PDB file of all heavy atoms in Angstrom:
ATOM      1  N   PRO A  25      -5.901  -5.744   0.742  1.00 98.00           N
ATOM      2  CA  PRO A  25      -5.563  -4.410   1.243  1.00 98.00           C
ATOM      3  C   PRO A  25      -6.632  -3.980   2.254  1.00 98.00           C
ATOM      4  O   PRO A  25      -7.788  -4.356   2.114  1.00 98.00           O
ATOM      5  CB  PRO A  25      -5.627  -3.534  -0.017  1.00 98.00           C
ATOM      6  CG  PRO A  25      -6.487  -4.263  -0.983  1.00 98.00           C
ATOM      7  CD  PRO A  25      -6.558  -5.704  -0.576  1.00 98.00           C
ATOM      8  N   VAL A  26      -6.208  -3.234   3.273  1.00 98.00           N
ATOM      9  CA  VAL A  26      -7.160  -2.792   4.307  1.00 98.00           C
ATOM     10  C   VAL A  26      -7.207  -1.262   4.270  1.00 98.00           C
ATOM     11  O   VAL A  26      -6.220  -0.610   4.632  1.00 98.00           O
ATOM     12  CB  VAL A  26      -6.705  -3.297   5.700  1.00 98.00           C
ATOM     13  CG1 VAL A  26      -7.799  -3.080   6.733  1.00 98.00           C
ATOM     14  CG2 VAL A  26      -6.333  -4.770   5.645  1.00 98.00           C
ATOM     15  N   PRO A  27      -8.307  -0.698   3.775  1.00 98.00           N
ATOM     16  CA  PRO A  27      -8.313   0.739   3.512  1.00 98.00           C
ATOM     17  C   PRO A  27      -8.397   1.646   4.736  1.00 98.00           C
ATOM     18  O   PRO A  27      -9.144   1.371   5.671  1.00 98.00           O
ATOM     19  CB  PRO A  27      -9.554   0.949   2.628  1.00 98.00           C
ATOM     20  CG  PRO A  27     -10.401  -0.245   2.817  1.00 98.00           C
ATOM     21  CD  PRO A  27      -9.527  -1.363   3.284  1.00 98.00           C
ATOM     22  N   LEU A  28      -7.619   2.722   4.702  1.00 98.00           N
ATOM     23  CA  LEU A  28      -7.829   3.851   5.607  1.00 98.00           C
ATOM     24  C   LEU A  28      -8.841   4.761   4.936  1.00 98.00           C
ATOM     25  O   LEU A  28      -9.235   4.511   3.785  1.00 98.00           O
ATOM     26  CB  LEU A  28      -6.517   4.604   5.862  1.00 98.00           C
ATOM     27  CG  LEU A  28      -5.550   3.884   6.814  1.00 98.00           C
ATOM     28  CD1 LEU A  28      -4.459   3.223   6.056  1.00 98.00           C
ATOM     29  CD2 LEU A  28      -4.988   4.830   7.856  1.00 98.00           C
ATOM     30  N   LYS A  29      -9.251   5.823   5.620  1.00 98.00           N
ATOM     31  CA  LYS A  29     -10.235   6.743   5.037  1.00 98.00           C
ATOM     32  C   LYS A  29      -9.782   8.176   5.207  1.00 98.00           C
ATOM     33  O   LYS A  29      -9.130   8.502   6.207  1.00 98.00           O
ATOM     34  CB  LYS A  29     -11.579   6.590   5.748  1.00 98.00           C
ATOM     35  CG  LYS A  29     -12.256   5.277   5.449  1.00 98.00           C
ATOM     36  CD  LYS A  29     -13.466   5.099   6.334  1.00 98.00           C
ATOM     37  CE  LYS A  29     -13.993   3.695   6.155  1.00 98.00           C
ATOM     38  NZ  LYS A  29     -14.583   3.186   7.373  1.00 98.00           N
ATOM     39  N   VAL A  30     -10.155   9.009   4.240  1.00 98.00           N
ATOM     40  CA  VAL A  30      -9.974  10.449   4.375  1.00 98.00           C
ATOM     41  C   VAL A  30     -11.376  11.023   4.578  1.00 98.00           C
ATOM     42  O   VAL A  30     -12.308  10.642   3.865  1.00 98.00           O
ATOM     43  CB  VAL A  30      -9.311  11.051   3.108  1.00 98.00           C
ATOM     44  CG1 VAL A  30      -9.217  12.571   3.214  1.00 98.00           C
ATOM     45  CG2 VAL A  30      -7.918  10.445   2.904  1.00 98.00           C
ATOM     46  N   LEU A  31     -11.526  11.889   5.575  1.00 97.00           N
ATOM     47  CA  LEU A  31     -12.841  12.416   5.922  1.00 97.00           C
ATOM     48  C   LEU A  31     -12.863  13.930   5.768  1.00 97.00           C
ATOM     49  O   LEU A  31     -11.938  14.611   6.230  1.00 97.00           O
ATOM     50  CB  LEU A  31     -13.175  12.071   7.377  1.00 97.00           C
ATOM     51  CG  LEU A  31     -12.966  10.605   7.791  1.00 97.00           C
ATOM     52  CD1 LEU A  31     -13.045  10.468   9.300  1.00 97.00           C
ATOM     53  CD2 LEU A  31     -13.988   9.711   7.112  1.00 97.00           C
ATOM     54  N   ALA A  32     -13.900  14.450   5.106  1.00 95.00           N
ATOM     55  CA  ALA A  32     -14.014  15.906   4.951  1.00 95.00           C
ATOM     56  C   ALA A  32     -15.472  16.276   4.754  1.00 95.00           C
ATOM     57  O   ALA A  32     -16.125  15.766   3.841  1.00 95.00           O
ATOM     58  CB  ALA A  32     -13.188  16.382   3.754  1.00 95.00           C
ATOM     59  N   GLY A  33     -15.963  17.154   5.618  1.00 90.00           N
ATOM     60  CA  GLY A  33     -17.315  17.708   5.485  1.00 90.00           C
ATOM     61  C   GLY A  33     -18.383  16.641   5.280  1.00 90.00           C
ATOM     62  O   GLY A  33     -19.199  16.764   4.366  1.00 90.00           O
ATOM     63  N   GLY A  34     -18.359  15.612   6.073  1.00 91.00           N
ATOM     64  CA  GLY A  34     -19.375  14.562   5.970  1.00 91.00           C
ATOM     65  C   GLY A  34     -19.085  13.563   4.860  1.00 91.00           C
ATOM     66  O   GLY A  34     -19.741  12.538   4.752  1.00 91.00           O
ATOM     67  N   ARG A  35     -18.085  13.848   4.038  1.00 95.00           N
ATOM     68  CA  ARG A  35     -17.714  12.884   2.981  1.00 95.00           C
ATOM     69  C   ARG A  35     -16.662  11.918   3.494  1.00 95.00           C
ATOM     70  O   ARG A  35     -15.801  12.302   4.299  1.00 95.00           O
ATOM     71  CB  ARG A  35     -17.111  13.622   1.788  1.00 95.00           C
ATOM     72  CG  ARG A  35     -18.166  14.321   1.033  1.00 95.00           C
ATOM     73  CD  ARG A  35     -17.854  14.315  -0.444  1.00 95.00           C
ATOM     74  NE  ARG A  35     -18.901  15.128  -1.040  1.00 95.00           N
ATOM     75  CZ  ARG A  35     -18.727  15.982  -2.009  1.00 95.00           C
ATOM     76  NH1 ARG A  35     -17.550  16.089  -2.562  1.00 95.00           N
ATOM     77  NH2 ARG A  35     -19.714  16.686  -2.468  1.00 95.00           N
ATOM     78  N   GLU A  36     -16.738  10.718   2.952  1.00 97.00           N
ATOM     79  CA  GLU A  36     -15.781   9.701   3.353  1.00 97.00           C
ATOM     80  C   GLU A  36     -15.126   9.143   2.089  1.00 97.00           C
ATOM     81  O   GLU A  36     -15.818   8.653   1.208  1.00 97.00           O
ATOM     82  CB  GLU A  36     -16.559   8.604   4.077  1.00 97.00           C
ATOM     83  CG  GLU A  36     -15.695   7.613   4.762  1.00 97.00           C
ATOM     84  CD  GLU A  36     -16.517   6.565   5.494  1.00 97.00           C
ATOM     85  OE1 GLU A  36     -16.858   6.769   6.665  1.00 97.00           O
ATOM     86  OE2 GLU A  36     -16.815   5.536   4.865  1.00 97.00           O
ATOM     87  N   TYR A  37     -13.819   9.275   1.991  1.00 98.00           N
ATOM     88  CA  TYR A  37     -13.102   8.730   0.838  1.00 98.00           C
ATOM     89  C   TYR A  37     -12.386   7.462   1.290  1.00 98.00           C
ATOM     90  O   TYR A  37     -11.420   7.534   2.062  1.00 98.00           O
ATOM     91  CB  TYR A  37     -12.079   9.733   0.312  1.00 98.00           C
ATOM     92  CG  TYR A  37     -12.685  11.059  -0.099  1.00 98.00           C
ATOM     93  CD1 TYR A  37     -12.754  12.125   0.801  1.00 98.00           C
ATOM     94  CD2 TYR A  37     -13.197  11.244  -1.381  1.00 98.00           C
ATOM     95  CE1 TYR A  37     -13.304  13.340   0.438  1.00 98.00           C
ATOM     96  CE2 TYR A  37     -13.752  12.464  -1.754  1.00 98.00           C
ATOM     97  CZ  TYR A  37     -13.804  13.496  -0.838  1.00 98.00           C
ATOM     98  OH  TYR A  37     -14.363  14.695  -1.206  1.00 98.00           O
ATOM     99  N   VAL A  38     -12.892   6.330   0.836  1.00 98.00           N
ATOM    100  CA  VAL A  38     -12.297   5.053   1.229  1.00 98.00           C
ATOM    101  C   VAL A  38     -11.128   4.765   0.290  1.00 98.00           C
ATOM    102  O   VAL A  38     -11.283   4.758  -0.933  1.00 98.00           O
ATOM    103  CB  VAL A  38     -13.343   3.912   1.135  1.00 98.00           C
ATOM    104  CG1 VAL A  38     -12.718   2.573   1.534  1.00 98.00           C
ATOM    105  CG2 VAL A  38     -14.545   4.230   2.024  1.00 98.00           C
ATOM    106  N   ASP A  39      -9.953   4.548   0.868  1.00 98.00           N
ATOM    107  CA  ASP A  39      -8.731   4.399   0.065  1.00 98.00           C
ATOM    108  C   ASP A  39      -8.618   2.976  -0.499  1.00 98.00           C
ATOM    109  O   ASP A  39      -7.722   2.214  -0.134  1.00 98.00           O
ATOM    110  CB  ASP A  39      -7.523   4.744   0.946  1.00 98.00           C
ATOM    111  CG  ASP A  39      -6.238   4.827   0.149  1.00 98.00           C
ATOM    112  OD1 ASP A  39      -6.303   4.877  -1.096  1.00 98.00           O
ATOM    113  OD2 ASP A  39      -5.158   4.821   0.773  1.00 98.00           O
ATOM    114  N   ASP A  40      -9.533   2.638  -1.393  1.00 97.00           N
ATOM    115  CA  ASP A  40      -9.442   1.332  -2.054  1.00 97.00           C
ATOM    116  C   ASP A  40      -9.319   1.532  -3.563  1.00 97.00           C
ATOM    117  O   ASP A  40      -9.179   2.673  -4.025  1.00 97.00           O
ATOM    118  CB  ASP A  40     -10.633   0.430  -1.676  1.00 97.00           C
ATOM    119  CG  ASP A  40     -11.971   1.008  -2.124  1.00 97.00           C
ATOM    120  OD1 ASP A  40     -11.975   1.924  -2.987  1.00 97.00           O
ATOM    121  OD2 ASP A  40     -13.010   0.545  -1.613  1.00 97.00           O
ATOM    122  N   CYS A  41      -9.379   0.447  -4.312  1.00 96.00           N
ATOM    123  CA  CYS A  41      -9.101   0.560  -5.753  1.00 96.00           C
ATOM    124  C   CYS A  41     -10.155   1.391  -6.489  1.00 96.00           C
ATOM    125  O   CYS A  41      -9.919   1.827  -7.611  1.00 96.00           O
ATOM    126  CB  CYS A  41      -8.968  -0.821  -6.385  1.00 96.00           C
ATOM    127  SG  CYS A  41     -10.439  -1.806  -6.169  1.00 96.00           S
ATOM    128  N   ARG A  42     -11.292   1.636  -5.860  1.00 97.00           N
ATOM    129  CA  ARG A  42     -12.325   2.445  -6.529  1.00 97.00           C
ATOM    130  C   ARG A  42     -12.133   3.936  -6.320  1.00 97.00           C
ATOM    131  O   ARG A  42     -12.799   4.738  -6.947  1.00 97.00           O
ATOM    132  CB  ARG A  42     -13.726   2.040  -6.025  1.00 97.00           C
ATOM    133  CG  ARG A  42     -14.152   0.655  -6.514  1.00 97.00           C
ATOM    134  CD  ARG A  42     -15.417   0.249  -5.827  1.00 97.00           C
ATOM    135  NE  ARG A  42     -15.191   0.200  -4.381  1.00 97.00           N
ATOM    136  CZ  ARG A  42     -15.344  -0.885  -3.636  1.00 97.00           C
ATOM    137  NH1 ARG A  42     -15.737  -1.992  -4.182  1.00 97.00           N
ATOM    138  NH2 ARG A  42     -15.116  -0.856  -2.342  1.00 97.00           N
ATOM    139  N   LEU A  43     -11.231   4.310  -5.421  1.00 98.00           N
ATOM    140  CA  LEU A  43     -11.089   5.742  -5.108  1.00 98.00           C
ATOM    141  C   LEU A  43     -10.533   6.520  -6.303  1.00 98.00           C
ATOM    142  O   LEU A  43      -9.509   6.166  -6.878  1.00 98.00           O
ATOM    143  CB  LEU A  43     -10.175   5.940  -3.888  1.00 98.00           C
ATOM    144  CG  LEU A  43      -9.923   7.393  -3.483  1.00 98.00           C
ATOM    145  CD1 LEU A  43     -11.208   8.063  -2.995  1.00 98.00           C
ATOM    146  CD2 LEU A  43      -8.857   7.477  -2.392  1.00 98.00           C
ATOM    147  N   ASP A  44     -11.233   7.602  -6.635  1.00 97.00           N
ATOM    148  CA  ASP A  44     -10.770   8.514  -7.684  1.00 97.00           C
ATOM    149  C   ASP A  44      -9.916   9.577  -6.974  1.00 97.00           C
ATOM    150  O   ASP A  44     -10.441  10.556  -6.440  1.00 97.00           O
ATOM    151  CB  ASP A  44     -12.017   9.123  -8.360  1.00 97.00           C
ATOM    152  CG  ASP A  44     -11.656  10.049  -9.502  1.00 97.00           C
ATOM    153  OD1 ASP A  44     -10.484  10.453  -9.608  1.00 97.00           O
ATOM    154  OD2 ASP A  44     -12.559  10.366 -10.292  1.00 97.00           O
ATOM    155  N   VAL A  45      -8.592   9.354  -6.966  1.00 96.00           N
ATOM    156  CA  VAL A  45      -7.707  10.225  -6.175  1.00 96.00           C
ATOM    157  C   VAL A  45      -7.714  11.681  -6.677  1.00 96.00           C
ATOM    158  O   VAL A  45      -7.855  12.602  -5.868  1.00 96.00           O
ATOM    159  CB  VAL A  45      -6.269   9.644  -6.083  1.00 96.00           C
ATOM    160  CG1 VAL A  45      -5.382  10.542  -5.244  1.00 96.00           C
ATOM    161  CG2 VAL A  45      -6.287   8.250  -5.480  1.00 96.00           C
ATOM    162  N   PRO A  46      -7.610  11.927  -8.003  1.00 95.00           N
ATOM    163  CA  PRO A  46      -7.644  13.316  -8.461  1.00 95.00           C
ATOM    164  C   PRO A  46      -8.936  14.036  -8.052  1.00 95.00           C
ATOM    165  O   PRO A  46      -8.915  15.200  -7.654  1.00 95.00           O
ATOM    166  CB  PRO A  46      -7.563  13.209  -9.991  1.00 95.00           C
ATOM    167  CG  PRO A  46      -7.044  11.860 -10.272  1.00 95.00           C
ATOM    168  CD  PRO A  46      -7.379  10.984  -9.110  1.00 95.00           C
ATOM    169  N   GLN A  47     -10.056  13.309  -8.135  1.00 96.00           N
ATOM    170  CA  GLN A  47     -11.338  13.896  -7.742  1.00 96.00           C
ATOM    171  C   GLN A  47     -11.344  14.221  -6.244  1.00 96.00           C
ATOM    172  O   GLN A  47     -11.789  15.295  -5.830  1.00 96.00           O
ATOM    173  CB  GLN A  47     -12.473  12.907  -8.100  1.00 96.00           C
ATOM    174  CG  GLN A  47     -13.876  13.379  -7.772  1.00 96.00           C
ATOM    175  CD  GLN A  47     -14.298  14.599  -8.590  1.00 96.00           C
ATOM    176  OE1 GLN A  47     -13.693  14.898  -9.625  1.00 96.00           O
ATOM    177  NE2 GLN A  47     -15.301  15.319  -8.116  1.00 96.00           N
ATOM    178  N   MET A  48     -10.797  13.327  -5.438  1.00 96.00           N
ATOM    179  CA  MET A  48     -10.728  13.575  -3.990  1.00 96.00           C
ATOM    180  C   MET A  48      -9.902  14.829  -3.719  1.00 96.00           C
ATOM    181  O   MET A  48     -10.319  15.703  -2.949  1.00 96.00           O
ATOM    182  CB  MET A  48     -10.101  12.372  -3.272  1.00 96.00           C
ATOM    183  CG  MET A  48      -9.875  12.626  -1.788  1.00 96.00           C
ATOM    184  SD  MET A  48      -8.947  11.319  -0.937  1.00 96.00           S
ATOM    185  CE  MET A  48      -7.252  11.848  -1.219  1.00 96.00           C
ATOM    186  N   LEU A  49      -8.741  14.951  -4.392  1.00 94.00           N
ATOM    187  CA  LEU A  49      -7.871  16.105  -4.145  1.00 94.00           C
ATOM    188  C   LEU A  49      -8.558  17.397  -4.582  1.00 94.00           C
ATOM    189  O   LEU A  49      -8.449  18.425  -3.912  1.00 94.00           O
ATOM    190  CB  LEU A  49      -6.539  15.941  -4.883  1.00 94.00           C
ATOM    191  CG  LEU A  49      -5.654  14.805  -4.367  1.00 94.00           C
ATOM    192  CD1 LEU A  49      -4.383  14.717  -5.187  1.00 94.00           C
ATOM    193  CD2 LEU A  49      -5.303  14.972  -2.886  1.00 94.00           C
ATOM    194  N   LYS A  50      -9.295  17.319  -5.686  1.00 94.00           N
ATOM    195  CA  LYS A  50     -10.007  18.492  -6.190  1.00 94.00           C
ATOM    196  C   LYS A  50     -11.066  18.924  -5.168  1.00 94.00           C
ATOM    197  O   LYS A  50     -11.156  20.115  -4.810  1.00 94.00           O
ATOM    198  CB  LYS A  50     -10.662  18.122  -7.528  1.00 94.00           C
ATOM    199  CG  LYS A  50     -11.395  19.241  -8.209  1.00 94.00           C
ATOM    200  CD  LYS A  50     -11.828  18.808  -9.621  1.00 94.00           C
ATOM    201  CE  LYS A  50     -12.810  19.805 -10.213  1.00 94.00           C
ATOM    202  NZ  LYS A  50     -14.200  19.563  -9.796  1.00 94.00           N
ATOM    203  N   GLU A  51     -11.823  17.969  -4.676  1.00 94.00           N
ATOM    204  CA  GLU A  51     -12.865  18.298  -3.704  1.00 94.00           C
ATOM    205  C   GLU A  51     -12.274  18.809  -2.393  1.00 94.00           C
ATOM    206  O   GLU A  51     -12.813  19.712  -1.769  1.00 94.00           O
ATOM    207  CB  GLU A  51     -13.755  17.067  -3.447  1.00 94.00           C
ATOM    208  CG  GLU A  51     -14.652  16.789  -4.636  1.00 94.00           C
ATOM    209  CD  GLU A  51     -15.461  15.492  -4.498  1.00 94.00           C
ATOM    210  OE1 GLU A  51     -15.559  14.955  -3.375  1.00 94.00           O
ATOM    211  OE2 GLU A  51     -15.972  15.036  -5.513  1.00 94.00           O
ATOM    212  N   LEU A  52     -11.135  18.250  -2.001  1.00 93.00           N
ATOM    213  CA  LEU A  52     -10.508  18.705  -0.756  1.00 93.00           C
ATOM    214  C   LEU A  52     -10.007  20.146  -0.902  1.00 93.00           C
ATOM    215  O   LEU A  52     -10.054  20.928   0.041  1.00 93.00           O
ATOM    216  CB  LEU A  52      -9.322  17.802  -0.382  1.00 93.00           C
ATOM    217  CG  LEU A  52      -9.660  16.420   0.176  1.00 93.00           C
ATOM    218  CD1 LEU A  52      -8.390  15.603   0.358  1.00 93.00           C
ATOM    219  CD2 LEU A  52     -10.406  16.510   1.504  1.00 93.00           C
ATOM    220  N   LYS A  53      -9.542  20.460  -2.106  1.00 90.00           N
ATOM    221  CA  LYS A  53      -9.035  21.804  -2.365  1.00 90.00           C
ATOM    222  C   LYS A  53     -10.172  22.827  -2.284  1.00 90.00           C
ATOM    223  O   LYS A  53     -10.014  23.913  -1.728  1.00 90.00           O
ATOM    224  CB  LYS A  53      -8.419  21.844  -3.773  1.00 90.00           C
ATOM    225  CG  LYS A  53      -7.103  22.584  -3.834  1.00 90.00           C
ATOM    226  CD  LYS A  53      -6.521  22.522  -5.223  1.00 90.00           C
ATOM    227  CE  LYS A  53      -5.084  22.058  -5.182  1.00 90.00           C
ATOM    228  NZ  LYS A  53      -4.553  21.816  -6.520  1.00 90.00           N
ATOM    229  N   GLU A  54     -11.328  22.433  -2.809  1.00 92.00           N
ATOM    230  CA  GLU A  54     -12.486  23.340  -2.809  1.00 92.00           C
ATOM    231  C   GLU A  54     -13.099  23.480  -1.416  1.00 92.00           C
ATOM    232  O   GLU A  54     -13.648  24.511  -1.060  1.00 92.00           O
ATOM    233  CB  GLU A  54     -13.569  22.813  -3.769  1.00 92.00           C
ATOM    234  CG  GLU A  54     -13.188  23.030  -5.231  1.00 92.00           C
ATOM    235  CD  GLU A  54     -13.955  22.109  -6.181  1.00 92.00           C
ATOM    236  OE1 GLU A  54     -14.907  21.422  -5.731  1.00 92.00           O
ATOM    237  OE2 GLU A  54     -13.597  22.083  -7.354  1.00 92.00           O
TER     238      GLU A  54
END
Side-chain angles (χ1 to χ4, degrees):
V26 191
L28 285 102
K29 290 172 188 148
V30 176
L31 311 168
R35 286 215 185 140
E36 190 179 271
Y37 302 93
V38 179
D39 189 14
D40 62 17
C41 59
R42 290 172 300 240
L43 179 66
D44 182 345
V45 181
Q47 181 65 18
M48 174 187 87
L49 293 179
K50 182 172 168 276
E51 287 174 16
L52 286 174
K53 223 177 231 172
E54 286 160 9

